[in-house]
Amino acid sequence: MTQASSRRDFLKQTAAFSTGLAVSGWAGSLLANTALNQPLYKISLAQWSLHRALRGGKLDNLDFAKVTKEEFGINAVEYVNQFFKDKAEDKKYLAEMNQRAADVGVKNVLIMIDGEGALGDPDAKKRTQAIENHHKWVTAAKTLGCHSIRVNARSNGSYEEQQKLAADGLSRLTEFAKKYGINVLVENHGGLSSNGAWLAGVMKMVNMPECGTLPDFGNFVLDRKTGEQYDRYKGVKELMPYAKAVSAKTHDFDKDGNEINTDYVKMMKIVLDAGYHGYVGIEYEGKKLDEYAGIKASKKLLLKVREELTPEETADPCCGQEGYYVPQRRRMFRRRLFRR
């Protein structure tokens, strides 16, 4: 054997060995991270779903995590600041919230913030005050182990003026929040914020990875007086590229358990197509079913849709090993961005 041929053989063997390692590493990573081990999306419970019980004194904020786990079998919660408004800086109270959630194995996901001023207020002093009012909730979210606070982008003025004002307030708040590892999320929550194109434009202006959206399936009323609405599917599609949380709004259900206002299969396809596989928070606001029954119906629907949208798993022909499975969902995996 010549020296040249020996070198060629050595290079071929080395290349084959390296390729084998790459393939096995890719397969191992795929098995570890695809939906073979993880669901298409996780389910959390938004505290607003129980706002009547909380406001009526039938449920205490400190018991919310326990009720979520024991009554509904859900292990992640989204708080609303209205139900512990004066406790944002009460370390003892926040520690108790943490302990009670930990005791039942419940994860604190985020806090929804209302009543702290307009982040897009045309008055510069009021806008600054609103930003500062949110600071205590950023630190509270950090203490509770949440990944985000949800805020509103309320403003006044023309379409473009409101975009600039909201972007200013959000940018400044996000600069503060990112020091604590907390995201600032904006929900479509009335007025121009319920216009998907407007809010997506605000996100582009802010242009910070820590500032995102919390698309709500039902909050697309542009004018409560006239009843004018923005197309909810179009709106969610426009907001999903920036989403770090999702709100599954429900009101009423038909005899088959489907939400009568939103086609959940169509809506969840939009969510998944954007590469989102994080928490989808149940936010029941109906009146025909009581709050507990409405939450259970919402969870049942989300589970049914998740099962329907999850592709069947088949044996991978490349492996030749019995019982070695790789989901068919490869294209989805490649573009999947696992977000909290």
Side-chain angles (χ1 to χ4, degrees):
M1 183 180 293
T2 65
Q3 185 176 5
S5 64
S6 296
R7 185 171 182 276
R8 283 196 298 270
D9 291 341
F10 172 77
L11 291 174
K12 287 179 182 178
Q13 291 172 6
T14 301
F17 179 71
S18 299
T19 301
L21 284 177
V23 171
S24 63
W26 171 83
S29 176
L30 187 64
L31 283 173
N33 293 292
T34 60
L36 183 64
N37 300 310
Q38 300 183 47
L40 279 179
Y41 52 85
K42 296 172 284 187
I43 297 173
S44 53
L45 179 62
Q47 195 171 23
W48 189 254
S49 299
L50 290 164
H51 70 275
R52 288 193 288 272
L54 286 154
R55 285 177 170 174
K58 296 179 180 178
L59 176 64
D60 186 271
N61 176 65
L62 287 172
D63 294 322
F64 173 55
K66 182 180 180 181
V67 168
T68 297
K69 183 64 174 286
E70 297 182 354
E71 186 71 29
F72 308 112
I74 296 173
N75 61 4
V77 292
E78 302 174 10
Y79 294 104
V80 176
N81 74 327
Q82 295 181 38
F83 304 120
F84 57 114
K85 186 82 173 182
D86 59 342
K87 305 296 185 181
E89 298 173 294
D90 188 331
K91 294 182 180 179
K92 184 178 180 181
Y93 187 88
L94 296 177
E96 182 68 16
M97 286 178 67
N98 263 336
Q99 188 59 55
R100 295 212 187 184
D103 286 344
V104 291
V106 166
K107 179 179 177 59
N108 298 329
V109 177
L110 57 85
I111 309 175
M112 299 185 180
I113 314 302
D114 299 303
E116 295 292 2
L119 291 171
D121 200 303
D123 185 303
K125 289 184 178 180
K126 290 182 179 179
R127 188 164 69 255
T128 296
Q129 185 61 58
I131 294 166
E132 293 175 354
N133 289 347
H134 283 77
H135 286 183
K136 61 181 177 291
W137 292 110
V138 169
T139 57
K142 178 68 174 179
T143 300
L144 291 173
C146 299
H147 66 67
S148 302
I149 61 168
R150 185 279 280 149
V151 303
N152 299 299
R154 195 166 70 253
S155 185
N156 285 298
S158 69
Y159 185 103
E160 292 79 11
E161 288 171 341
Q162 290 193 52
Q163 277 189 321
K164 292 177 182 177
L165 290 168
D168 175 67
L170 289 168
S171 296
R172 291 159 62 191
L173 177 58
T174 303
E175 283 289 349
F176 175 84
K178 73 178 184 179
K179 299 174 185 176
Y180 295 86
I182 298 297
N183 299 305
V184 175
L185 311 184
V186 187
E187 181 180 354
N188 47 304
H189 213 185
L192 276 175
S193 76
S194 290
N195 179 317
W198 181 87
L199 187 50
V202 171
M203 290 297 105
K204 291 175 184 176
M205 286 183 178
V206 175
N207 193 28
M208 298 172 70
E210 300 85 2
C211 186
T213 60
L214 192 160
D216 182 297
F217 296 168
N219 285 356
F220 285 101
V221 178
L222 297 170
D223 190 326
R224 294 191 180 278
K225 293 180 180 179
T226 64
E228 180 187 2
Q229 294 198 30
Y230 196 83
D231 183 277
R232 66 185 62 199
Y233 305 103
K234 180 175 183 285
V236 170
K237 188 172 183 178
E238 289 167 332
L239 298 180
M240 279 310 304
Y242 313 96
K244 295 179 184 292
V246 169
S247 182
K249 180 65 61 63
T250 55
H251 286 91
D252 297 314
F253 304 86
D254 63 21
K255 61 181 178 62
D256 297 316
N258 297 308
E259 217 284 333
I260 63 174
N261 302 291
T262 302
D263 180 335
Y264 260 69
V265 171
K266 180 178 180 179
M267 192 65 89
M268 289 311 302
K269 282 182 178 178
I270 293 172
V271 170
L272 295 171
D273 283 346
Y276 182 87
H277 298 273
Y279 284 103
V280 175
I282 293 171
E283 191 170 63
Y284 173 68
E285 284 193 345
K287 295 180 179 178
K288 290 184 179 179
L289 295 176
D290 66 44
E291 290 180 322
Y292 282 66
I295 292 167
K296 291 175 181 177
S298 301
K299 179 187 175 184
K300 185 177 181 180
L301 174 59
L302 282 173
L303 289 174
K304 182 179 74 171
V305 171
R306 189 171 72 182
E307 182 178 2
E308 181 176 337
L309 294 180
T310 300
E312 292 183 3
E313 295 161 2
T314 57
D316 191 302
C318 75
C319 304
Q321 295 180 357
E322 186 176 349
Y324 186 88
Y325 291 92
V326 175
Q328 290 178 319
R329 208 186 300 109
R330 283 186 182 166
R331 250 185 300 177
M332 181 181 291
F333 171 76
R334 288 190 185 118
R335 69 170 183 264
R336 182 176 289 186
L337 299 175
F338 287 99
R339 306 177 195 152
R340 287 183 291 183

